[in-house]
């Protein structure tokens, strides 16, 4: 992580903001940038970041959070230690340049957030599950693939075997899941819209039928009223004729 001046680049800020708000605040208020100078904030990188956000999982809970607080903290310490080891030992030397940059950015962000989490552990309101999920959702694909970093005895070399290829495959699989979920949601919305339209049409027909009944009833009552009025007039005329005689 490098430190820059406080002249905020809003493209970088917005990118960091949709990645993690703690990171964007660090950049905005302290000038700390988590992106290399040659990182291009463009349509492609923003789209990828939005997709990663749509992959986030707020239901995932690691088994170790049910251990006592000291042991839980140890898992986060293991994660930080293993992240450092991965960078220091250059396990990424066989990655392509683009993927190498992606991993270095991710590791920088993850280590920063993990350090903050370790500082907050003593807080009474500290939520271990939320802390784990924050790290996981930084990049849900990497969060899932690198979950082993929380273990003390993880074999990093084995963990990273064919890693770039696996990442791309897992990313595409999750994108397909998003597309299928959106397609299903669209179908449900369309089905609901049809059902609502049918209900509206049915209600309209009922309203028209009721209106006709009301109209018919009103006409009948008016006719009856008119008949009564005519009869009354006839009776009055008959009485007047009798008196005239």
């Amino acid at each position: 992580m490098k430190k820059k001046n406080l002249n905020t680049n809003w493209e970088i800020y917005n990118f960091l903001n949709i990645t993690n708000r703690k990171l964007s605040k660090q950049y905005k208020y302290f000038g700390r940038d988590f992106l290399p100078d040659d990182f291009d904030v463009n349509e492609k990188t923003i789209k990828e970041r939005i997709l990663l956000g749509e992959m986030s999982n707020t239901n995932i809970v690691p088994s170790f959070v049910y251990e006592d607080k000291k042991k839980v903290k140890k898992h986060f310490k293991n994660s930080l230690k293993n992240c450092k080891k991965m960078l220091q030992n250059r396990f990424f030397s066989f990655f392509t340049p683009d993927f190498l940059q992606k991993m270095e950015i991710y590791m920088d962000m993850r280590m920063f957030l993990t350090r903050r989490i370790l500082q907050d552990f003593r807080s009474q309101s500290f939520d271990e599950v939320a802390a784990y999920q924050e790290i996981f959702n930084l990049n849900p694909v990497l969060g899932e693939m690198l979950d082993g970093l929380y273990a003390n005895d993880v074999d990093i070399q084995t963990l990273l075997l064919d890693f770039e290829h696996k990442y791309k495959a897992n990313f595409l699989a999750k994108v397909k899941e998003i597309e299928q979920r959106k397609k299903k949601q669209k179908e449900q919305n369309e089905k609901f819209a049809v059902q609502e339209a049918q209900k509206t049409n049915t209600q309209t027909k009922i309203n028209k039928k009721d209106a006709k009944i009301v109209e018919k009833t009103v006409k009948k009552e008016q006719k009856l009223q008119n008949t009564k009025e005519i009869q009354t007039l006839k009776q009055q005329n008959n009485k007047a004729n009798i008196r005239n005689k």
Side-chain angles (χ1 to χ4, degrees), residues 218-233:
V218 169
K219 286 182 178 179
K220 188 175 180 181
E221 289 179 351
Q222 286 178 345
K223 186 177 180 181
L224 182 62
Q225 184 66 29
N226 290 337
T227 302
K228 287 181 179 180
E229 288 178 357
I230 291 169
Q231 288 176 347
T232 301
L233 286 172

Side-chain angles (χ1 to χ4, degrees), residues 196-219:
E196 288 299 303
Q198 289 174 342
K199 286 181 183 179
T200 300
N201 290 336
T202 301
Q203 189 62 46
T204 300
K205 290 178 181 178
I206 291 172
N207 292 341
K208 286 181 178 179
K209 186 176 180 181
D210 290 344
K212 287 181 179 180
I213 292 171
V214 170
E215 184 181 359
K216 188 175 181 181
T217 302
V218 169
K219 286 182 178 179

